[in-house]
Amino acid sequence: MSINYVMRKKVDKSGEEEKTLYYAAPYALQKSGVNEQQIGNYLQERSSLTAGDVLSTLEQLPAAIAHFLKDGRTVTIRGLGTFYPAVSSEGVEDPKKCTPDQVVLKRICFRTDKKFLTKMANARFEQISEPGPRERKKKTTL
């Protein structure tokens, strides 16, 4: 198997001359995406846990991560990575004027563990042609 990518055009305006460059961008094929049932079966085959035990744990994992993030902590899963919140607010001239009700959660970030990256080190890549708008629309409605 390989990681699919498409080429995306970007205009580089950083130099004296504007130039068009092409960059590789990941393209996941959702038809072949993996769900928690498949992960559960995979892990069950490699452990003493039943598929039900694994699925129950995977189902509870998002709630556990959210619980600890709401408590102001980061969540590290050794060998996988660390989850942490990204917050923001409107700009203020005086830091004391930024109250908790002005702070918003922007997203949950994930920083990959270096051990996980080494497991991905020998990944193969394959360039594919990007589907047209009609094909993309079909995929998003599934």
Side-chain angles (χ1 to χ4, degrees), residues 73-131:
R73 302 169 76 183
T74 61
V75 177
T76 300
I77 300 174
R78 189 177 24 186
L80 183 62
T82 301
F83 295 88
Y84 58 97
V87 299
S88 187
S89 70
E90 292 291 322
V92 292
E93 291 181 11
D94 181 0
K96 293 176 185 174
K97 292 188 178 186
C98 182
T99 59
D101 61 326
Q102 294 171 309
V103 179
V104 294
L105 177 67
K106 286 295 200 181
R107 64 184 176 278
I108 302 301
C109 300
F110 176 76
R111 184 173 43 254
T112 308
D113 188 303
K114 289 179 184 175
K115 290 179 185 177
F116 185 71
L117 280 176
T118 61
K119 290 179 183 180
M120 296 292 298
N122 60 353
R124 291 184 25 222
F125 298 92
E126 182 176 337
Q127 183 176 355
I128 61 172
S129 60
E130 190 168 8

Side-chain angles (χ1 to χ4, degrees), residues 1 24 33 36 43-44 66-67 76-77 86 100 102 122 141:
M1 295 301 292
E36 61 275 353
L43 294 174
Q44 179 248 332
H67 169 80
T76 300
I77 300 174
Q102 294 171 309
N122 60 353
T141 58

Side-chain angles (χ1 to χ4, degrees), residues 50-83:
T50 67
D53 293 335
V54 174
L55 285 174
S56 178
T57 301
L58 289 174
E59 192 172 298
Q60 296 299 319
L61 186 60
I65 291 171
H67 169 80
F68 292 109
L69 290 175
K70 285 180 186 178
D71 199 30
R73 302 169 76 183
T74 61
V75 177
T76 300
I77 300 174
R78 189 177 24 186
L80 183 62
T82 301
F83 295 88

